[in-house]
Amino acid sequence: MNAHRADVVIVGGGIMGAATAFFLRKRGVSVILLERGLIGQQASGVNFGNTRRMGRPVEQLPLSNRSRESWLKFKELFGEDVELLLNGQLRVGFTPAHEERMAKYAQEAQDFGLGMQMLSANALHERFPYLGPELTAGCYAPYEGHANPRLAAPAIGRAAVREGAQVFENTEIVRVEKEGEDFRVTAADGRIFRAPVALITAGAWGNRISAKFGEPVPMIAKAPQMCVTEPVPYAIGPTTGALADAPEQSVYFRQVARGNIIIGGGGHELVDLDNRRAYVNPSRTLLTLKNAPRVMPAFNHLSIIRVWSGIEGYMEDSRPVMGPSARVPGLYYAFGFSGEGFQLGPGVGDVMAELIHTGATTTPIEHYHIGRFAKLAAQPA
Amino acid sequence: MAQPRVIIVGAGPSGVRCAETLVAAGLRPTVIDENRRDGGQIYRRQPDNFTRPYAKLYGTEAGRAQSLHESFDALRDKVDYLPETLAWNIFDNKLHVVRNEVSSAMPYDALIICSGATDRLMPVKGWHYAGTYSLGASQIALKAQACAIGRQIVFLGTGPLLYLVASQYIKAGANVAAVLDTSPLMRRVMALPKLLARPSVLLNGLGLVAGIKRAGVPVLTGITPVEIKGESESGVQSVLIRDSRGNERSFQCDAVAMGYHLRPETQLADLARCAFRFEQETRQWLPEVDEDGRSSVPGVYLAGDGMRVLGADAAEIGGRLAAMAVLTDLRLKVSDEELQGLRAEQASMERFRQGLAQAFPWPAEQAAQLPDEAIVCRCEAITAGELRHVVCGMGAQEANRAKAFSRVGMGRCQGRYCGHAGAEVIAHAAGVPVEQVGRLRGQAPVKPLSIAVREEQE
Ligand SMILES: Cc1cc2nc3c(=O)[nH]c(=O)nc-3n(C[C@H](O)[C@H](O)[C@H](O)COP(=O)(O)OP(=O)(O)OC[C@H]3O[C@@H](n4cnc5c(N)ncnc54)[C@H](O)[C@@H]3O)c2cc1C
Ligand SMILES: Cc1cc2nc3c(=O)[nH]c(=O)nc-3n(C[C@H](O)[C@H](O)[C@H](O)COP(=O)(O)OP(=O)(O)OC[C@H]3O[C@@H](n4cnc5c(N)ncnc54)[C@H](O)[C@@H]3O)c2cc1C
């Protein structure tokens, strides 16, 4: 069989893989993108859709800001509208400790252009009168927004195709090996793809490939729990997230242009990685339904019409793996983004393309190098 | 062994007969139904303060209705009956039910889903105008509330229910403008051998058609719906069709009752992770079951129209068969003779069902010909043109992908009403067989769930 060839082969067509393929083409690099299902069908297509920067670790803000530039010109860059709404982001808290956390973050991240404003209880309730009386403080970031995840990664994938990327959907990769100067990538049906550079953007499944190259990472797959109300007249401005003392207690919500309100929270479920299914536990749904009206009492007058979830890889240190392999020349990784990878997607693609093309990047990503887990590989199994 | 925990969802003919059989074997099942009273769809009981006699309410089926109601009345202290209770989710061998905004999780050893069917709908241009109802809704208005859906009514679609509800309206004194059937008469003739599996039901049906004609109501077969004309303010004004000779004809009306036979309510089976199979004859996905209603998931059983649409009499048989399957699996005794008898009866009903599918086919080609501006998904107001765009312009050839891109099936009904037609539109636009388009994944809740709901405190 004739092997497909390119300068770079990418395994995994979520937002990370699709965006990298796009930006590599912009740099004139030939690229093959391989996806087991359809582009953007996993985490990238089912997430909550928040493109906020506020709340991210400070070390991630340069990358997040780089990504924001792409989001702001999404249509121009990728050719399609993905319902980006820039209505700001609001964090709210119930206790003095929450207020302290928000204030501390506002202080630490003040140089990154988020425009955060701390709001006292009075200011909060005056400005957002629909909020519940238990809330005692807030932090508002006016430039943040959200977009439609069902549309975004597929749109980037189509843009990559228009730029000349070879995209293969329904192509499950069963082996990635180094063979001489090349990577030889084998699909379940026997097709073979070759390139001198390989990038692994396989999301929650990334560890399965990195481990084969002697670079296992401590990652577990989890499923955040989502639900959505019927459409109602547009009334909520900013995407809102309440601070919580335990993951189960968390609640966040945004109203899409169509009027439905998407609510996330209630903690995570474990997932079935082999069957690629993430389930919603009804107890978690009920927990969210109990907690959401504490943030916005009017929720009690609405109904939810659908629940869903998605599969994410959670790293032990909550940081993704991004950058070159520590062991294999020509091999790169960008996976294990949890909770916040949707916003980062275009930026990660931009940075990985720059790194692969030029050998360096202007955006700091050293925190994410896979070498930090090298001792794991050294330990006997 | 402790009493096995057996839950039946649905108190229609299948659920009631299932409960009866289980009680006779010494079990105490829990019976859950979202309605206020038992009886299910066909034998829906009227509100307490209504006093219409059985004969008036149920016509030829009065005897069966009364028998079912009496059976259930006699079971009342031998089962745990939870009316006005919605089963909204299944997870980890627990059924999640909600009643008066309190949700509880009910563990089960056996779950029998007797969830019945709803109308199967094919869009037509203009069906979003006020005054367009499903056949089922039209019948419920009449049965439960004793009101008609309009002053002058067109019945449009196909299947036995089209004639049944039309004649019920005529009997109730309503003005029926026409009965317009998309199935050509020839199909009925060809299906005769199979339909003869139940001669009395067949005769009954022929009698209905004759009665409608005697009442002076035009009955047209082999028609093609063109458009429901109307205005957003005043609603439906007329129905435009092409008759079997290809001539356009218009019928004045202020209401349309529309339906293309029925489709099983399968979300619970889906949430229980039962396997589904595609059935060519009716062009739809059905839960996989064995002869007695065992699904692919141990401990989960299906009976009645919620399994496949065999009708009310078969639902009673199916309920008994599923109960016997439960008893067998719990290693309790069942009468083999009775089992064989029920299976044989069910087999003849299955033959009749195939006859109906042949006589009154689902008009898939209509979805293909739907004009671009016609609405497919009424909840989200998505047109056929928009759906075709995501297929042809964005490469969505699979049902869930097309839903993600277009919102078809994302509204309040969660695709229960637009799913089948949507799949046909996608299949035609993509040039693939409809089974390749797949089916919309079932997602909880089964019906909208109030955010005010709270978990039951132990
Ligand atoms: C429910 C939920 C809510 C979230 N909310 C937000 C949010 O509001 N904001 C935010 O910024 N982030 C959010 N996230 C996180 C974000 O969605 C992810 O971090 C991001 O989408 C990860 O993108 P990815 O491309 O790495 O992974 P994915 O989208 O999972 O893509 C990886 C792809 O690799 C493919 N693949 C894996 N193995 C193979 C193989 N062997 N062969 C071929 N293909 C393979 C998979 O099929 C998959 O399509 C949320 C995530 C979830 C699940
Ligand atoms: C609109 C309509 C009109 C019909 N009219 C006729 C007719 O006139 N003549 C005729 O011969 N046949 C008619 N049929 C067919 C006939 O109703 C069925 O064959 C028969 O009722 C099937 O019995 P069943 O027990 O399977 O389901 P059903 O009688 O439909 O009973 C199902 C029960 O389950 C309950 N249920 C379903 N899901 C849930 C849930 N998630 N939680 C709680 N409860 C639930 C429902 O409330 C319902 O009471 C009609 C069907 C429909 C849909």
Side-chain angles (χ1 to χ4, degrees):
Chain A
M1 196 184 290
N2 245 344
H4 301 273
R5 272 205 84 84
D7 297 333
V8 180
V9 59
I10 302 178
V11 181
I15 196 165
M16 305 304 170
T20 312
F22 174 86
F23 285 107
L24 281 170
R25 284 306 305 142
K26 282 283 179 196
R27 292 169 175 274
V29 179
S30 69
V31 55
I32 290 172
L33 174 61
L34 304 170
E35 166 54 43
R36 178 169 48 203
L38 302 172
I39 297 295
Q41 200 179 22
Q42 295 294 337
S44 301
V46 298
N47 63 68
F48 174 73
N50 206 342
T51 60
R52 71 178 164 85
R53 296 163 296 168
M54 177 164 64
R56 289 169 190 272
V58 173
E59 105 253 337
Q60 199 179 85
L61 288 173
L63 177 62
S64 188
N65 273 341
R66 184 156 172 185
S67 204
R68 176 179 166 81
E69 288 166 29
S70 291
W71 279 110
L72 292 181
K73 49 179 188 194
F74 197 99
K75 177 134 198 245
E76 199 183 311
L77 211 51
F78 304 113
E80 287 178 42
D81 177 64
V82 292
E83 299 169 14
L84 180 71
L85 276 184
L86 293 172
N87 286 345
Q89 157 90 10
L90 180 65
R91 290 173 101 191
V92 292
F94 295 96
T95 63
H98 291 166
E99 181 171 359
E100 213 172 290
R101 253 164 78 190
M102 290 189 280
K104 183 162 174 270
Y105 184 82
Q107 178 70 31
E108 283 170 4
Q110 66 176 340
D111 296 336
F112 292 91
L114 279 62
M116 289 177 280
Q117 308 154 15
M118 283 299 292
L119 300 174
S120 67
N122 279 344
L124 184 69
H125 292 290
E126 203 166 294
R127 186 148 180 193
F128 306 104
Y130 52 79
L131 293 176
E134 289 176 72
L135 296 168
T136 56
C139 185
Y140 180 58
Y143 313 127
E144 310 289 57
H146 53 91
N148 186 339
R150 299 192 312 272
L151 304 179
I156 297 174
R158 282 189 295 276
V161 170
R162 283 194 298 272
E163 294 293 332
Q166 305 175 59
V167 177
F168 297 85
E169 295 186 317
N170 300 308
T171 300
E172 172 158 23
I173 298 311
V174 291
R175 254 192 332 275
V176 183
E177 303 149 298
K178 186 104 195 221
E179 203 181 65
E181 290 302 297
D182 267 357
F183 288 90
R184 175 192 158 99
V185 178
T186 311
D189 60 10
R191 272 174 301 159
I192 289 168
F193 305 87
R194 286 177 198 275
V197 172
L199 167 65
I200 309 304
T201 48
W205 299 267
N207 187 30
R208 295 190 170 181
I209 300 174
S210 70
K212 289 270 161 58
F213 286 103
E215 298 181 291
V217 297
M219 178 167 81
I220 51 170
K222 290 200 256 183
Q225 315 269 296
M226 304 287 130
C227 58
V228 64
T229 70
E230 68 240 290
V232 286
Y234 203 89
I236 304 174
T239 305
T240 303
L243 266 66
D245 300 319
E248 284 68 29
Q249 298 303 323
S250 74
V251 191
Y252 42 99
F253 53 87
R254 70 180 178 105
Q255 188 171 19
V256 303
R258 162 81 178 119
N260 311 68
I261 305 170
I262 299 175
I263 317 171
H268 304 104
E269 276 295 294
L270 293 177
V271 307
D272 182 347
L273 262 187
D274 288 321
N275 292 312
R276 281 163 263 153
R277 286 303 302 263
Y279 292 104
V280 178
N281 185 333
S283 315
R284 296 192 186 280
T285 307
L286 289 166
L287 207 53
T288 297
L289 301 191
K290 185 173 120 190
N291 288 329
R294 287 183 66 202
V295 183
M296 186 173 80
F299 268 131
N300 276 326
H301 302 295
L302 304 181
S303 297
I304 58 160
I305 59 172
R306 184 171 60 251
V307 305
W308 75 94
S309 183
I311 303 174
E312 290 194 277
Y314 285 76
M315 228 48 109
E316 198 172 64
D317 61 1
S318 306
R319 288 175 173 163
V321 167
M322 193 178 164
S325 156
R327 295 174 63 114
V328 184
L331 181 62
Y332 293 82
Y333 299 117
F335 66 84
F337 295 85
S338 50
E340 357 188 87
F342 181 59
Q343 193 278 341
L344 292 180
V348 170
D350 191 9
V351 167
M352 291 309 295
E354 182 191 22
L355 182 65
I356 289 170
H357 186 220
T358 68
T361 167
T362 46
T363 305
I365 56 166
E366 332 40 87
H367 295 93
Y368 304 144
H369 192 256
I370 197 165
R372 71 188 190 273
F373 300 120
K375 53 186 179 303
L376 260 191
Q379 282 164 7
Chain B
M1 179 176 157
Q3 263 272 357
R5 298 159 302 183
V6 182
I7 303 178
I8 301 169
V9 178
S14 57
V16 170
R17 292 305 173 206
C18 181
E20 190 178 47
T21 307
L22 293 170
V23 166
L27 299 183
R28 186 182 177 88
T30 300
V31 179
I32 286 164
D33 199 301
E34 124 186 67
N35 281 334
R36 293 175 58 181
R37 304 203 57 188
D38 57 287
Q41 187 61 257
I42 173 169
Y43 306 134
R44 178 180 294 271
R45 284 174 111 157
Q46 58 190 335
D48 283 334
N49 51 339
F50 283 50
T51 54
R52 287 166 293 171
Y54 270 94
K56 184 136 194 265
L57 266 178
Y58 305 106
T60 53
E61 308 306 307
R64 282 192 164 267
Q66 189 161 4
S67 150
L68 194 82
H69 296 163
E70 285 170 4
S71 298
F72 195 69
D73 290 343
L75 288 174
R76 282 294 289 272
D77 56 356
K78 302 186 182 79
V79 301
D80 295 310
Y81 174 44
L82 303 176
E84 290 182 87
T85 303
L86 171 73
W88 69 274
N89 205 348
I90 295 176
F91 193 77
D92 211 6
N93 281 317
K94 291 192 196 78
L95 184 73
H96 289 255
V97 303
V98 58
R99 181 185 202 186
N100 291 330
E101 302 200 331
V102 176
S103 183
S104 35
M106 307 178 72
Y108 57 80
D109 300 302
L111 172 69
I112 307 105
I113 301 172
C114 304
S115 51
T118 58
D119 294 277
R120 200 174 184 199
L121 297 178
M122 175 58 78
V124 53
K125 186 177 169 193
W127 71 315
H128 57 283
Y129 288 123
T132 308
Y133 294 80
S134 71
L135 282 174
S138 316
Q139 194 186 42
I140 291 169
L142 195 65
K143 267 197 207 173
Q145 304 297 334
C147 41
I149 58 167
R151 285 195 202 87
Q152 195 167 17
I153 305 151
V154 165
F155 284 80
L156 174 68
T158 197
L161 208 52
L162 183 70
Y163 297 93
L164 178 69
V165 182
S167 61
Q168 286 167 342
Y169 264 72
I170 292 169
K171 273 210 188 96
N175 181 2
V176 174
V179 176
L180 308 173
D181 187 339
T182 53
S183 304
L185 205 56
M186 246 341 263
R187 301 280 304 215
R188 254 162 273 183
V189 178
M190 279 152 56
L192 258 181
K194 284 176 188 148
L195 294 175
L196 276 168
R198 298 179 71 190
S200 67
V201 181
L202 178 61
L203 265 179
N204 219 334
L206 293 173
L208 286 179
V209 181
I212 296 170
K213 288 185 173 157
R214 261 201 314 279
V217 174
V219 176
L220 277 68
T221 55
I223 64 108
T224 308
V226 177
E227 182 176 356
I228 297 175
K229 298 209 170 190
E231 277 171 12
S232 26
E233 292 292 300
S234 53
V236 171
Q237 291 170 342
S238 66
V239 173
L240 181 67
I241 57 138
R242 258 193 316 278
D243 67 19
S244 54
R245 295 211 189 85
N247 301 319
E248 285 205 346
R249 292 179 62 175
S250 171
F251 295 87
Q252 298 281 318
C253 59
D254 64 354
V256 183
M258 200 169 95
Y260 294 80
H261 210 40
L262 301 169
R263 50 164 287 282
E265 280 283 68
T266 55
Q267 307 108 293
L268 282 173
D270 213 345
L271 291 168
R273 305 182 196 175
C274 297
F276 281 64
R277 69 181 171 89
F278 185 77
E279 184 181 74
Q280 276 304 341
E281 295 85 344
T282 58
R283 295 174 76 86
Q284 65 185 327
W285 293 86
L286 297 174
E288 264 178 40
V289 283
D290 76 358
E291 191 174 16
D292 303 332
R294 284 179 190 84
S295 77
S296 63
V297 176
V300 179
Y301 305 78
L302 295 150
D305 279 5
M307 174 178 84
R308 60 180 187 274
V309 177
L310 283 165
D313 298 351
E316 292 192 42
I317 295 169
R320 291 194 172 102
L321 279 171
M324 292 171 96
V326 170
L327 294 172
T328 306
D329 296 347
L330 290 171
R331 306 199 190 299
L332 295 169
K333 241 182 87 68
V334 298
S335 148
D336 196 50
E337 196 182 331
E338 192 187 344
L339 185 63
Q340 298 306 340
L342 289 170
R343 283 179 180 165
E345 263 188 277
Q346 183 174 257
S348 75
M349 308 230 172
E350 171 61 29
R351 192 168 156 73
F352 186 77
R353 180 181 81 98
Q354 287 172 7
L356 285 183
Q358 191 177 355
F360 303 105
W362 164 247
E365 66 289 347
Q366 268 184 51
Q369 283 149 20
L370 212 53
D372 273 348
E373 66 274 20
I375 284 177
V376 174
C377 169
R378 290 213 295 187
C379 300
E380 293 297 305
I382 310 293
T383 64
E386 289 168 301
L387 182 54
R388 288 174 186 137
H389 169 70
V390 307
V391 179
C392 304
M394 298 162 80
Q397 305 207 339
E398 188 269 337
N400 295 285
R401 186 74 161 176
K403 169 180 163 184
F405 288 176
S406 71
R407 304 190 66 86
V408 165
M410 277 208 174
R412 271 186 79 87
C413 92
Q414 286 296 295
R416 283 154 66 230
Y417 293 100
C418 61
H420 288 187
E424 298 286 0
V425 172
I426 297 166
H428 186 261
V432 302
V434 70
E435 57 269 38
Q436 206 170 306
V437 171
R439 63 189 186 90
L440 294 176
R441 273 187 296 275
Q443 285 163 283
V446 168
K447 301 258 173 83
L449 181 69
S450 166
I451 293 183
V453 71
R454 292 296 167 261
E455 200 162 11
E456 189 183 45
Q457 301 302 320
E458 312 269 308

